[in-house]
Amino acid sequence: MSVINITNLSKKYRNLVVFNDLTITFVPGDMIFLVGNNGSGKSTFIKCLLKLIKYEGNVEDQNISYSYCPEKLIFPDYLTIGDFLSLFGKVKNIDKESLSVKLDYYYNKFNLREHLDKYLIKLSKGTKQKLLIILTLMVDADVYIFDEPLNGLDRTTRRTFYEELRKLHQASKIVIISTHHLSSYRFKNRKVIDFNNL
């Protein structure tokens, strides 16, 4: 079972304590929301979880795989949507048949079918956000982390994203979402970590 045990997790930059002695356990099916003001530690917590920065304490997540949707990503300008997603699938070693099925599904789900020849440099913020979400969902992982995923999404795409979150929950994945818009997520049995009060 994919369980993450976090004990006495602390992070500070020189004299600035971001959070101290955080202890929490995440289990399959958990829907966790990280809330708090800018600079409260949400992104720092994610970086600790992904082992991108050093920290004090312990994160036990042996053999657990992650898929991460950052708040921003620098896209290569002169690739098309279709080429970019296909290349990503190959980099992630998704076999040809599975990649074809996945891409077909997400093209339809996120209304991208008619835009596959569009260059990334010409995309709107909302379309780039769609691609970030698709990149994250394409990977088969135990834990899915989304950093402010609603930015730039219209109402229809938000509904689509919520549907995908429910599928992850039903598949007993751990889902972690950093957000300033907690009220936009109407999920039962959600866990909330308020970094303003740590």
Side-chain angles (χ1 to χ4, degrees):
M1 189 162 82
S2 304
V3 176
I4 303 174
N5 286 311
I6 299 168
T7 52
N8 304 120
L9 183 66
S10 301
K11 179 61 184 177
K12 65 180 180 179
Y13 296 101
R14 296 187 177 179
N15 295 325
L16 174 63
V17 177
V18 183
F19 46 77
N20 191 45
D21 278 341
L22 178 59
T23 296
I24 192 168
T25 297
F26 300 149
V27 299
D30 271 354
M31 186 80 72
I32 302 116
F33 292 89
L34 313 179
V35 300
N37 299 330
N38 288 336
S40 61
K42 302 188 301 295
S43 295
T44 299
F45 174 78
I46 290 172
K47 289 176 183 177
C48 291
L49 203 57
L50 295 172
K51 314 294 193 301
L52 297 177
I53 57 175
K54 294 181 179 180
Y55 55 83
E56 296 178 4
N58 194 32
V59 177
E60 295 180 17
D61 59 353
Q62 190 171 8
N63 298 321
I64 287 179
S65 57
Y66 292 88
S67 188
Y68 172 49
C69 178
E71 186 174 4
K72 295 179 182 178
L73 181 70
I74 298 175
F75 289 88
D77 290 341
Y78 296 105
L79 281 178
T80 64
I81 289 176
D83 288 342
F84 178 60
L85 292 177
S86 295
L87 180 60
F88 177 81
K90 292 174 184 177
V91 169
K92 290 295 182 179
N93 295 316
I94 301 174
D95 69 82
K96 190 174 182 180
E97 184 176 346
S98 295
L99 179 58
S100 178
V101 171
K102 287 187 178 190
L103 290 178
D104 189 60
Y105 172 80
Y106 289 119
Y107 291 159
N108 291 329
K109 192 73 176 176
F110 287 88
N111 296 315
L112 290 174
R113 178 71 64 187
E114 297 178 1
H115 306 285
L116 299 182
D117 293 331
K118 203 167 187 178
Y119 286 98
L120 301 182
I121 194 173
K122 296 183 178 180
L123 299 185
S124 66
K125 181 178 180 179
T127 303
K128 287 183 177 180
Q129 190 65 24
K130 281 185 185 182
L131 293 185
L132 279 177
I133 290 171
I134 291 170
L135 295 179
T136 308
L137 295 173
M138 279 175 63
V139 178
D140 185 17
D142 302 306
V143 182
Y144 292 81
I145 301 175
F146 299 90
D147 195 349
E148 296 292 349
L150 300 183
N151 285 348
L153 297 186
D154 59 30
R155 185 176 298 178
T156 299
T157 308
R158 286 189 179 200
R159 283 199 298 267
T160 299
F161 178 57
Y162 298 148
E163 290 171 6
E164 294 301 309
L165 291 181
R166 290 188 183 93
K167 288 181 181 179
L168 293 177
H169 176 68
Q170 290 165 2
S172 295
K173 305 296 185 178
I174 296 173
V175 178
I176 301 171
I177 300 174
S178 174
T179 183
H180 286 101
H181 308 286
L182 183 60
S183 61
S184 297
Y185 296 91
R186 298 175 182 176
F187 294 95
K188 296 179 180 179
N189 302 318
R190 65 188 184 186
K191 293 182 178 179
V192 178
I193 303 176
D194 187 347
F195 281 80
N196 289 332
N197 297 320
L198 292 182

